[in-house]
Amino acid sequence: MNQYRHKILLAEDEESIAKTLILNLNLAGIDVEYAMNGEQAIESYKKLAPSLSMAILDIMMPFKDGFQVYHDIKKTNPDFPVIFLTARNQVNDKIKGLKLGAEDYITKPFDLEEFLLRVQNVLKRVNTSPISSIFSFGECNINFDTYEITDIAGHRMPLSKREIGFLKLLTSQPNVVISRDKIIEELWEDDENASSRTIDNYILGFRKIFEVDPKSPIHFISIRGVGYKFVM
């Protein structure tokens, strides 16, 4: 069995600092998705949210600062852990960050060993806390435990076990195209005779539930002749 590796989002506009942090985090067994400004951080989060354990956000970044990125992340996942990183040793910034609900606040320059210890302490809390079974995107969410969803209009409704399984398969790999054959292999038994048409009908149903305009979907995208992908 492979040991689980945490993956974190690091948003830091000073490339030399980022390279040092990435190297040391990797050596500590932690994978890193790097963003060099606030806008990239938001895009990376949207793309990889289900696979991320936490984020480290520099406060002073181009385009969007760390506080703005924090607010955008928390809109979709209020429980997502964040550490703020900044060169400014100002009490007001620290108080603001902690009042927002950040897990920690680290001021540059810092000792690498202490930095890694703080990151690992947060990841331990994440690892021992109950994993959220709710996946959110836009105004919608999916509860994989109760088989309930909230649709684009804000209505709650139950879905079947297979529908929830299909949604979990798609949302666990954002932006990755999953072939129809793979979907059938994962969700149907050999004697059930599922077909491409079966898959297409499920996708049409998801678009009606989750898309603002089912005819012009932005989340459940078809790749002609291949399969489907989910886009945050």
Side-chain angles (χ1 to χ4, degrees), residues 60-76:
M60 296 298 291
M61 291 188 292
F63 305 116
K64 283 191 174 186
D65 65 30
F67 291 136
Q68 291 173 303
V69 175
Y70 177 92
H71 283 300
D72 284 351
I73 288 175
K74 291 292 185 173
K75 286 177 185 176
T76 60

Side-chain angles (χ1 to χ4, degrees), residues 5-73:
R5 287 175 66 95
H6 283 287
K7 185 170 190 174
I8 68 173
L9 171 63
L10 171 66
E12 165 61 66
D13 64 319
E14 294 186 54
E15 190 173 353
S16 60
I17 293 176
K19 286 181 177 179
T20 300
L21 295 182
I22 291 169
L23 174 62
N24 283 271
L25 287 164
N26 288 163
L27 290 173
I30 301 168
D31 293 328
V32 181
E33 174 70 16
Y34 173 56
M36 63 188 303
N37 60 58
E39 287 186 352
Q40 282 188 9
I42 291 299
E43 289 305 310
S44 294
Y45 175 78
K46 288 179 178 179
K47 180 177 67 174
L48 298 169
S51 66
L52 294 172
S53 296
M54 64 172 288
I56 300 172
L57 306 177
D58 186 30
I59 289 180
M60 296 298 291
M61 291 188 292
F63 305 116
K64 283 191 174 186
D65 65 30
F67 291 136
Q68 291 173 303
V69 175
Y70 177 92
H71 283 300
D72 284 351
I73 288 175

